[in-house]
């Protein structure tokens, strides 16, 4: 049976399914528009997310906000969460068993939001949702339709901060995301955009 947001949140906030519960300060559940056509999924909370309980609030999050703004969207208009809800120590990649323990929560979040488009930020969400055969450098920017939802794997914003050469392809992906939302007829619904949603949001 489909859960509800309060039931799911209660379950996640008291979760002890894996070892990450022992070192967390805050569970980072996810936030945003609970009916957003666009959902963005990261890897797991970093230090600032663990201190605040909010996803993508550190340097990578600030860049993500800017990238969303560049396609005419604010973070409140989309739904943002992570594969794992508790910070892995020293920001290591979450172990397969940690991801597996948390996967059901992510599935339930997707079922509740019912997004039309899911953006996988980096390798971890891309592999978790699209399969272990995925390679972010090879497969980013390529749409995949799964059970009626469009998936776009793209670079994690933290990767863009480490390697400026990734910024241009990531920008290409974000424009494709805006175009897909337009094509699906949901861009105006989220952005409240007046007039044609298009090149004016390209400003570089
Ligand atoms: N990196 C992530 O993958 N998620 C966050 O919430 C913050 C940084």
């Amino acid at each position: 049976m489909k859960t509800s947001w309060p039931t799911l949140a209660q379950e996640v906030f008291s979760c002890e399914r894996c070892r990450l519960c022992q070192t967390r300060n805050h569970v980072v559940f996810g936030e945003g528009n609970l009916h957003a056509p666009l959902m963005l999924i990261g890897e797991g909370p970093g230090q600032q997310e663990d201190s605040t309980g909010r996803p993508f609030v550190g340097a990578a999050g600030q860049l993500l906000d800017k990238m969303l703004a560049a396609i005419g969207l604010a973070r409140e208009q989309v739904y943002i969460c992570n594969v794992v809800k508790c910070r892995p120590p020293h920001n290591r990649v979450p172990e397969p068993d940690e991801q597996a323990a948390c996967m059901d929560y992510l599935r339930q979040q997707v079922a509740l939001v019912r997004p039309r488009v899911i953006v996988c930020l980096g390798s971890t969400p891309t592999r978790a949702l699209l399969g272990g055969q995925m390679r972010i450098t090879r497969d980013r920017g390529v749409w995949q339709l799964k059970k009626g939802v469009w998936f776009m794997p793209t670079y994690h914003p933290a990767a863009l901060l480490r390697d400026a050469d990734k910024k241009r392809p990531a920008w290409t992906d974000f424009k494709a995301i805006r175009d897909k939302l337009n094509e699906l007829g949901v861009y105006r619904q989220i952005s409240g955009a007046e007039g044609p949603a298009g090149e004016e949001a390209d400003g570089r």
Side-chain angles (χ1 to χ4, degrees):
M1 209 186 66
K2 197 163 147 181
T3 186
S4 66
W5 281 113
T7 307
L8 179 61
Q10 201 177 21
E11 215 184 318
V12 176
F13 282 111
S14 57
C15 181
E16 294 185 354
R17 286 189 190 178
C18 84
R19 64 187 80 76
L20 296 182
C21 71
Q22 294 160 12
T23 47
R24 73 181 176 221
N25 287 300
H26 286 99
V27 170
V28 180
F29 181 75
E31 65 181 31
N33 173 0
L34 303 183
H35 303 288
L38 175 61
M39 187 161 173
L40 296 108
I41 303 175
E43 176 175 288
Q47 192 257 317
Q48 298 210 42
E49 291 76 20
D50 178 59
S51 325
T52 57
R54 300 183 56 209
F56 281 101
V57 289
Q62 284 165 26
L63 178 56
L64 182 62
D65 287 350
K66 280 190 197 159
M67 293 166 80
L68 285 169
I71 58 165
L73 300 176
R75 69 147 58 209
E76 303 77 45
Q77 295 167 327
V78 304
Y79 190 81
I80 305 178
C81 64
N82 285 299
V83 171
V84 295
K85 312 304 189 217
C86 301
R87 183 193 184 198
H90 312 293
N91 297 344
R92 63 163 170 72
V93 176
E95 299 288 351
D97 66 320
E98 295 161 352
Q99 293 186 38
C102 227
M103 204 56 199
D104 186 46
Y105 299 143
L106 181 58
R107 288 217 178 84
Q108 294 189 68
Q109 285 174 302
V110 172
L112 287 166
V113 176
R114 302 183 68 225
R116 305 289 304 279
V117 173
I118 292 181
V119 176
C120 298
L121 296 166
S123 176
T124 299
T126 299
R127 290 182 184 204
L129 292 162
L130 298 173
Q133 79 288 354
M134 297 294 288
R135 296 289 174 271
I136 193 68
T137 317
R138 183 191 63 196
D139 299 323
R140 58 138 283 276
V142 181
W143 287 109
Q144 298 215 22
L145 183 61
K146 249 182 87 174
K147 295 187 187 163
V149 181
W150 289 97
F151 286 79
M152 167 63 83
T154 189
Y155 290 126
H156 192 288
L160 309 183
L161 293 172
R162 287 192 299 267
D163 177 3
D165 287 351
K166 294 194 164 76
K167 283 190 176 171
R168 189 169 285 273
W171 172 238
T172 303
D173 297 346
F174 268 68
K175 282 189 290 186
I177 293 159
R178 180 198 59 203
D179 293 346
K180 180 63 79 183
L181 293 169
N182 256 322
E183 193 184 303
L184 295 170
V186 292
Y187 180 83
R188 279 160 187 254
Q189 180 194 321
I190 14 177
S191 66
E194 306 257 328
E199 297 311 309
E200 80 278 6
D202 274 10
R204 258 175 298 174

